[in-house]
Amino acid sequence: YLSGFGNEFASEDPRCPGSLPEGQNNPQVCPYGLYAEQLSGSAFTCPRATNKRSWLYRILPSVRHKPFTPVNCGYLSENWNEVEPDPNQGLHTICGAGDSKSRSGIAIHVYTCNTSMTDRCFQNSDGDFLIVPQKGEILITTEFGKMMVEPNEICVIQQGMRFSVDVFGETRGYLLEVYGAHFELPDLGPIGANGLANPRDFQTPVAWYEDRTVATGYTVINKYQGKLFSSQQDFSPFNVVAWHGNYTPYKYNLENFMVINCVAYDHADPSIFTVLTAKSTRPGVAIADFVIFPPRWGVADHTFRPPYYHRNCMSEFMGLIKGHYEAKEEGFQPGGGSLHSIMTPHGPDFDCFEKNSKAELKPERVAEGTMAFMFESSFSMAVTKWGLETCQRLDKSYYKCWEPLKSHFNPNWRPSSK
């Protein structure tokens, strides 16, 4: 892998040394007789700091394929109140908001898969995918090379990048899709130059190619304007011998996150656990933040240490990769999810509140063996029919975890004299 986030990378398959052109991007004749193809992740005229593009040097260009034709979308949806769909699909949309046509929005999916993609690849023309495996490792082959992604790692496949997935048994995970923005590292402000997800810990694949003819046809699935289309070609799209640029897929191991936490009093806001953000046009407001709750020390004095009770102007989708989430240790299972919609009250359940209101406040490890995460968004997300009804997994008794909460109000309490 190549180390760094958003860097200008360059990579050649070692089987073809010198395959990157020297001193220019598209020479009249490329080394080894390759085709030059640019993949743009931003408008040509974006400021240099946000301009994203890569040059790919491939055996055959992407244009060589048959026309795209519609295919069944299954449970993949951008219609937040859709009719009953056909179940033959590995992606299931839980919730979302906005619209891929206007390039403004978000969707949250779960995936289940036990079969590798043979002579098939996927391309998302609508936006970026942030993939969070929860069960089973996945080998992702991209036009830039290969990435092995395991639970407790994440990867990002940016808009327009073709990829195929190999699995080695039952796999399951979460997928965050954003339209109209790319993920970036959050600003650190007074934290300083180091901390949270450090750029050096992100990994980009190195060039790898296959020169393979597929006489029976290779299928390219394209997600476009919320629908799926397929086209046929007679060769593998993973024929990029060399590439350079700053628009790439990448992965990150969540164990490398450098946790910032309170060392005096009070429970800090969860924004200190932000790994990646997709910014909106409003300063400080995200289309989506990817936030994790990793193992860490809890040392705050005079403090209720678990998450506080909260009503938020943002939507919060929680997921669990492994372990037990500290604010709801029972009933929230790995692979499950919860959506706390905008301004919907949420917080610790009864057992958590009672236990931690009386706990001895000594230094302790928090969330040991656990990795929970949150997709937080400024969009007001609606839940699909699959999420509400079809999946038959909706916990209609979720609210009962707060029912036992009782009043501790004592009108006779008085401050102690100092």
Side-chain angles (χ1 to χ4, degrees):
Y1 294 99
L2 304 171
S3 172
F5 186 89
N7 295 13
E8 283 286 341
F9 295 110
S11 183
E12 297 177 345
D13 189 303
R15 291 172 289 176
C16 296
S19 48
L20 276 175
E22 293 187 7
Q24 65 180 121
N25 294 321
N26 57 323
Q28 185 177 22
V29 178
C30 292
Y32 294 92
L34 299 171
Y35 287 86
E37 179 176 295
Q38 183 174 204
L39 178 63
S40 294
S42 64
F44 293 137
T45 51
C46 274
R48 186 177 289 267
T50 58
N51 208 298
K52 303 293 182 183
R53 58 84 186 95
S54 286
W55 281 90
L56 314 178
Y57 300 93
R58 56 197 320 149
I59 296 169
L60 283 171
S62 299
V63 295
R64 225 197 83 175
H65 63 81
K66 299 293 192 293
F68 282 99
T69 56
V71 296
N72 193 298
C73 293
Y75 288 118
L76 183 69
S77 177
E78 198 179 288
N79 179 358
W80 314 124
N81 294 293
E82 84 280 13
V83 296
E84 194 69 25
D86 184 279
N88 298 314
Q89 176 68 34
L91 279 177
H92 300 72
T93 306
I94 298 178
C95 56
D99 175 43
S100 60
K101 298 183 186 71
S102 61
R103 309 285 290 118
S104 177
I106 179 177
I108 294 173
H109 318 275
V110 292
Y111 70 84
T112 55
C113 182
N114 59 12
T115 304
S116 298
M117 298 171 65
T118 302
D119 293 338
R120 294 166 66 88
C121 72
F122 193 93
Q123 169 184 308
N124 186 0
S125 296
D126 290 337
D128 289 11
F129 278 157
L130 189 156
I131 302 171
V132 185
Q134 186 272 316
K135 179 181 180 181
E137 60 187 8
I138 53 177
L139 176 62
I140 302 179
T141 301
T142 77
E143 296 167 284
F144 296 79
K146 296 186 176 186
M147 298 185 292
M148 181 69 79
V149 188
E150 303 175 356
N152 224 43
E153 294 184 317
I154 62 166
C155 72
V156 172
I157 309 292
Q158 303 196 74
Q159 180 187 15
M161 297 177 180
R162 294 182 175 180
F163 67 98
S164 183
V165 177
D166 287 312
V167 299
F168 309 92
E170 295 181 347
T171 63
R172 180 175 62 204
Y174 309 85
L175 199 153
L176 171 62
E177 181 181 13
V178 295
Y179 317 134
H182 297 302
F183 291 102
E184 54 188 278
L185 296 174
D187 297 323
L188 294 180
I191 292 175
N194 307 286
L196 308 187
N198 290 311
R200 66 176 296 188
D201 293 324
F202 288 82
Q203 296 181 304
T204 293
V206 297
W208 176 89
Y209 77 92
E210 59 179 7
D211 183 11
R212 183 165 66 92
T213 299
V214 185
T216 56
Y218 194 103
T219 303
V220 178
I221 304 294
N222 182 19
K223 181 177 181 290
Y224 177 73
Q225 295 188 359
K227 306 294 183 182
L228 295 181
F229 301 84
S230 71
S231 72
Q232 296 292 311
Q233 57 191 52
D234 60 3
F235 62 95
S236 167
F238 306 119
N239 60 359
V240 177
V241 177
W243 60 266
H244 74 86
N246 64 351
Y247 189 55
T248 68
Y250 54 88
K251 75 169 194 168
Y252 175 75
N253 190 325
L254 300 180
E255 292 183 0
N256 292 327
F257 189 80
M258 199 278 268
V259 180
I260 303 291
N261 205 6
C262 169
V263 295
Y265 63 89
D266 277 353
H267 182 95
D269 294 333
S271 49
I272 62 170
F273 301 129
T274 302
V275 179
L276 292 170
T277 182
K279 295 179 178 178
S280 74
T281 55
R282 291 176 289 165
V285 179
I287 294 173
D289 285 330
F290 174 63
V291 180
I292 63 172
F293 302 96
R296 59 199 183 276
W297 282 98
V299 299
D301 288 327
H302 318 296
T303 296
F304 182 78
R305 290 179 177 174
Y308 42 73
Y309 294 103
H310 192 205
R311 288 185 294 163
N312 194 355
C313 64
M314 308 280 278
S315 299
E316 300 181 18
F317 178 91
M318 290 286 302
L320 185 62
I321 299 172
K322 61 180 180 178
H324 301 276
Y325 180 53
E326 57 189 295
K328 195 178 190 299
E329 293 192 359
E330 299 298 329
F332 189 36
Q333 300 296 318
S338 68
L339 174 65
H340 294 134
S341 300
I342 286 178
M343 292 304 176
T344 301
H346 54 278
D349 63 15
F350 169 77
D351 292 337
C352 179
F353 179 84
E354 293 295 321
K355 173 184 174 182
N356 286 277
S357 296
K358 304 167 185 174
E360 179 184 357
L361 294 180
K362 57 184 180 181
E364 62 178 347
R365 291 291 290 172
V366 177
E368 199 68 61
T370 291
M371 185 63 75
F373 69 88
M374 177 169 65
F375 299 147
E376 186 176 54
S377 175
S378 59
F379 282 87
S380 182
M381 291 189 283
V383 182
T384 61
K385 187 175 182 180
W386 181 86
L388 287 175
E389 299 176 9
T390 313
C391 71
Q392 299 182 347
R393 291 293 184 270
L394 182 66
D395 182 3
K396 295 184 178 181
S397 62
Y398 182 68
Y399 71 96
K400 292 182 179 179
C401 70
W402 296 299
E403 290 283 280
L405 289 169
K406 55 189 177 182
S407 172
H408 295 278
F409 177 64
N410 178 6
N412 298 315
W413 178 89
R414 294 293 181 271
S416 59
S417 57
K418 295 183 179 180

